[in-house]
Amino acid sequence: MQRRAQDIYTLPLMDLLFRAQTVHRETFDPNRIQCAKLLSIKTGGCAEDCSYCAQSARNGSKLSASKLMEVQKVLAEAQKAKDSGATRYCMGAAWRSPKERDMPTILAMVEGVKALGLETCMTLGMLDDTQVVQLKTAGLDYYNHNIDTSESFYPSVISTHSFADRLDTLNRVRAAGINVCSGGIVGLGEATEDRISMIQTLADLPEPPQSVPINMLMPMADTPLANVAPLDPIEMVRTIATARILMPKSYVRLSAGRSAMSDELQAMCFFAGANSIFVGDTLLTAENPDDSADARLFAKLGLQPEAPRRCGDAA
Ligand code: SAM
Ligand code: DTB
Ligand code: SF4
């Protein structure tokens, strides 16, 4: 099956873009973009060694570790995000996996954000069988857990957990009936074959993830990848287009890295089939275009934010 992604990814660019846009239009309105908002509910001090991440305690990053946020503060932030037009609220914690003592707070956040009428998403690291059921029962709509790169390149990027560990958590999340959000990062110093293999792995999961975030590495100070050679942005466009063609019904998110992208590159990513972004001037720790920059971009391209979904609509 690897060949399928390979054949698509390596098409002449005009053929690739035309195919991706044609597939995109069969399921989605090409002028609508889903707007998701991220909040870091527990920042820094992470025990894992992901070499791209500013939040790893092992990367010698200067970022200080915070405590888990209070539920009321999270709900106040979520309300602001809703007021500014976001439809999905994604809460991220810099953990290898959640501790039992943190679960009541996490579950209260899911219930509270859902009650505001937002789609809920969490990214908390690896989950066990009990935790997925607790999150599902609290009403969690999506769980984000990226495979990040190919299976063979993974150990060059992260040593404290394995690619198989990531797939185990994704299997648990899916089995609990929570929608899966899983994608990866480009620009880690990986080869073209690694990007191809990453997309093929996602498409070959028992069900393709309902959301596929594609992040462009944001080189973070003091991390091992702070000075990695930048990736040719056309490779990002090819990665997005291949994801769109192989996962035609999934939301493909043009995720981290937009603050370093031109309007023209972002437009090309949307044409390649990306139909979701993170809005607001901060991701977890890194910068993102502010609302006024995105308003100008949307106006220039004739794009509209996707309208809120009704309960029970398909992902
Ligand atoms: N700790 C949890 C985990 O690892 O699953 C959740 C948070 S983690 C920051 C979520 C994802 O953000 C990573 O899997 C990676 O794809 C992305 N990410 C982290 N740092 C990044 C960076 N500097 N540039 C681009 N993407 C990044
Ligand atoms: C995803 O794929 N990208 C988001 C979200 N899922 C959690 C995170 C991007 C993080 C960018 C680096 C930072 O903010 O530190
Ligand atoms: Fe920790 Fe997640 Fe960052 Fe890895 S990506 S160091 S698990 S916060």
Side-chain angles (χ1 to χ4, degrees):
M1 276 304 276
Q2 176 81 8
R3 272 217 67 76
R4 246 191 105 208
Q6 162 101 24
D7 290 348
I8 294 167
Y9 189 101
T10 54
L11 280 169
L13 188 68
M14 300 310 132
D15 293 338
L16 176 61
L17 288 176
F18 183 71
R19 250 182 93 175
Q21 180 63 203
T22 305
V23 166
H24 188 57
R25 284 167 182 258
E26 283 166 13
T27 305
F28 295 104
D29 178 338
N31 302 309
R32 292 257 174 201
I33 303 290
Q34 178 193 61
C35 295
K37 179 79 180 81
L38 258 178
L39 176 70
S40 181
I41 56 172
K42 194 270 162 198
T43 308
C46 184
E48 301 303 282
D49 70 352
C50 312
S51 53
Y52 49 77
C53 185
Q55 304 198 72
S56 165
R58 301 179 188 234
N59 281 347
S61 138
K62 311 254 177 333
L63 199 78
S64 56
S66 74
K67 290 213 176 93
L68 181 59
M69 270 174 87
E70 287 164 19
V71 177
Q72 285 314 318
K73 286 195 179 147
V74 171
L75 298 188
E77 291 299 318
Q79 182 64 55
K80 281 193 233 163
K82 187 181 177 192
D83 294 342
S84 68
T87 55
R88 185 175 298 184
Y89 203 63
C90 180
M91 295 159 270
W95 286 330
R96 172 181 167 85
S97 51
K99 303 251 180 332
E100 211 181 313
R101 63 165 186 268
D102 293 318
M103 286 310 286
T105 310
I106 292 293
L107 300 175
M109 289 175 188
V110 173
E111 284 163 7
V113 172
K114 206 174 168 65
L116 295 175
L118 286 158
E119 288 183 323
T120 53
C121 179
M122 287 251 166
T123 180
L124 313 168
M126 294 182 268
L127 298 180
D128 64 26
D129 289 329
T130 309
Q131 290 166 335
V132 287
V133 173
Q134 288 174 320
L135 288 164
K136 174 67 184 171
T137 307
L140 186 69
D141 296 305
Y142 289 82
Y143 194 75
N144 167 246
H145 200 65
N146 292 339
I147 63 165
D148 278 336
T149 188
S150 68
E151 183 170 12
S152 63
F153 194 61
Y154 202 83
S156 316
V157 182
I158 298 154
S159 78
T160 47
H161 58 257
S162 67
F163 194 78
D165 291 331
R166 299 302 273 190
L167 295 180
D168 282 350
T169 291
L170 291 177
N171 287 339
R172 288 195 183 96
V173 168
R174 188 185 325 105
I178 301 170
N179 291 307
V180 169
C181 171
S182 187
I185 314 187
V186 302
L188 299 167
E190 77 284 351
T192 305
E193 295 70 48
D194 295 308
R195 292 186 286 278
I196 292 170
S197 168
M198 173 179 86
I199 298 299
Q200 191 71 65
T201 300
L202 292 167
D204 287 348
L205 289 172
E207 271 177 62
Q210 283 79 13
S211 283
V212 181
I214 306 293
N215 299 276
M216 172 72 104
L217 176 74
M218 303 184 75
M220 305 303 278
D222 303 317
T223 63
L225 295 181
N227 299 310
V228 76
L231 181 71
D232 185 326
I234 295 296
E235 299 297 314
M236 172 80 171
V237 175
R238 286 186 178 277
T239 305
I240 288 174
T242 307
R244 167 50 64 226
I245 293 165
L246 286 180
M247 293 173 275
K249 307 242 180 276
S250 305
Y251 278 80
V252 176
R253 182 169 307 123
L254 173 56
S255 201
R258 288 197 304 116
S259 56
M261 293 180 193
S262 67
D263 287 355
E264 295 87 336
L265 174 57
Q266 292 187 68
M268 216 165 167
C269 291
F270 295 137
F271 193 75
N275 61 342
S276 178
I277 57 169
F278 284 121
V279 293
D281 59 9
T282 313
L283 293 165
L284 292 171
T285 70
E287 62 173 351
N288 197 47
D290 64 20
D291 287 346
S292 61
D294 280 340
R296 278 195 300 276
L297 178 68
F298 274 41
K300 192 178 350 180
L301 304 182
L303 295 173
Q304 300 277 340
E306 192 181 71
R309 289 178 169 268
R310 287 182 316 267
C311 239
D313 281 359

